[in-house]
Amino acid sequence: MRETTGVRGVPRPVRPGGWWCDALLLAGLVALTVALATGHLFGVDRAVADWAQAHRPTAAFRAAVVFNYLGQGSPLTLLAAGLGVLLAVRLRSVRPVLPPVLAFALTTLTIGPLKVWTARPAPSASVKEPYLSPEQTLPMFQHDLPVRFAQSYPSGHVANAIVWYGVIALLLVPLLRTVGRGMPPRLATAIRVAPPLVVLFTTTYLGWHWLTDSVAGLLLGLLLDRLLRRVPWDGVPLPGRMRAWGSPFTSIT
């Protein structure tokens, strides 16, 4: 197996290239947040939630719950960390554990704080604790509610799914190469795209998030994913004795 070293300090390419897409994602998230904070888009959210509630038979509900587990942050974190450790052992390199560590830091520092700051209840808050009226479930910044009842915006399931399946795909490709197998690019793309789309649909359909919560999770997740994909993992400087365990992993062939 031949290894090629990464270029230190040079960001990896992303598609579409340039920072304009990142800027659009951030601007979209800010604009959406401002719109909701000023009382806009509530009609869209309510219409989608009401439609989902009226078209949610038991079988569809149970299926949606099962598929929504694809966006559980803790299992995804453990899976990505496990893949990183396994690849690190096979290559005798610490670099494969860097993506899960940075992904965990980024999601922890963004998703949770945004949820607490925006303090928005979920649609289901009107049919279970704290049993708000339907009108009270829509606005943001309801800091008078206990934190556990006002953490709907943005959707952590959607954002986590985008970030973690991106990391999983990043690690699976070189891991398969260590056993002499390859992963078709289309399969890698499917791993990155399909689960987040399923989670976006199910979390909205189940009434666990407003549509705009899911869209916000999509925008934030894509932004974080692009940041992670830019990192030159094979060229990140390592401190001290860790340099002896700094073999590249994304560029192995």
Side-chain angles (χ1 to χ4, degrees):
M1 178 170 60
R2 180 175 59 87
E3 296 182 353
T4 58
T5 58
V7 180
R8 179 170 297 186
V10 178
R12 300 171 69 220
V14 294
R15 294 183 180 180
W19 290 93
W20 62 268
C21 186
D22 306 68
L24 282 179
L25 291 170
L26 179 58
L29 179 61
V30 171
L32 180 59
T33 305
V34 170
L36 292 169
T38 54
H40 295 84
L41 301 177
F42 288 174
V44 174
D45 275 339
R46 173 54 63 192
V48 172
D50 289 346
W51 181 91
Q53 185 174 6
H55 298 80
R56 198 186 298 146
T58 301
F61 173 82
R62 291 176 178 173
V65 170
V66 172
F67 282 113
N68 193 254
Y69 279 113
L70 290 171
Q72 289 288 339
S74 295
L76 289 175
T77 302
L78 293 175
L79 175 58
L83 291 175
V85 171
L86 179 59
L87 185 57
V89 171
R90 294 190 65 86
L91 297 180
R92 297 183 180 180
S93 171
V94 299
R95 292 189 182 277
V97 303
L98 298 180
V101 170
L102 183 55
F104 179 78
L106 286 178
T107 53
T108 300
L109 293 174
T110 55
I111 299 173
L114 277 174
K115 285 178 171 290
V116 173
W117 175 61
T118 54
R120 190 187 197 192
S124 56
S126 63
V127 296
K128 61 182 183 180
E129 285 192 284
Y131 296 105
L132 304 175
S133 67
E135 294 74 20
Q136 288 179 299
T137 58
L138 286 159
M140 291 177 136
F141 307 121
Q142 300 196 48
H143 295 289
D144 55 318
L145 294 173
V147 174
R148 68 183 185 277
F149 295 139
Q151 296 191 52
S152 188
Y153 183 94
S155 169
H157 273 60
V158 175
N160 274 315
I162 294 171
V163 170
W164 287 113
Y165 282 104
V167 172
I168 288 170
L170 173 70
L171 296 171
L172 274 178
V173 172
L175 183 59
L176 289 175
R177 286 175 181 163
T178 64
V179 293
R181 297 181 178 275
M183 176 180 287
R186 290 186 178 180
L187 178 57
T189 300
I191 292 174
R192 302 178 67 96
V193 174
L197 289 179
V198 170
V199 172
L200 188 151
F201 171 78
T202 56
T203 199
T204 305
Y205 177 71
L206 290 167
W208 293 350
H209 283 285
W210 300 105
L211 175 62
T212 50
D213 298 340
S214 297
V215 173
L218 176 68
L219 294 172
L220 177 59
L222 288 174
L223 178 60
L224 297 180
D225 178 68
R226 284 178 62 85
L227 293 176
L228 287 167
R229 293 176 71 180
R230 290 179 185 276
V231 178
W233 302 110
D234 292 345
V236 173
L238 298 175
R241 297 180 179 179
M242 292 180 66
R243 295 171 188 167
W245 301 84
S247 300
F249 72 96
T250 64
S251 57
I252 63 173
T253 58

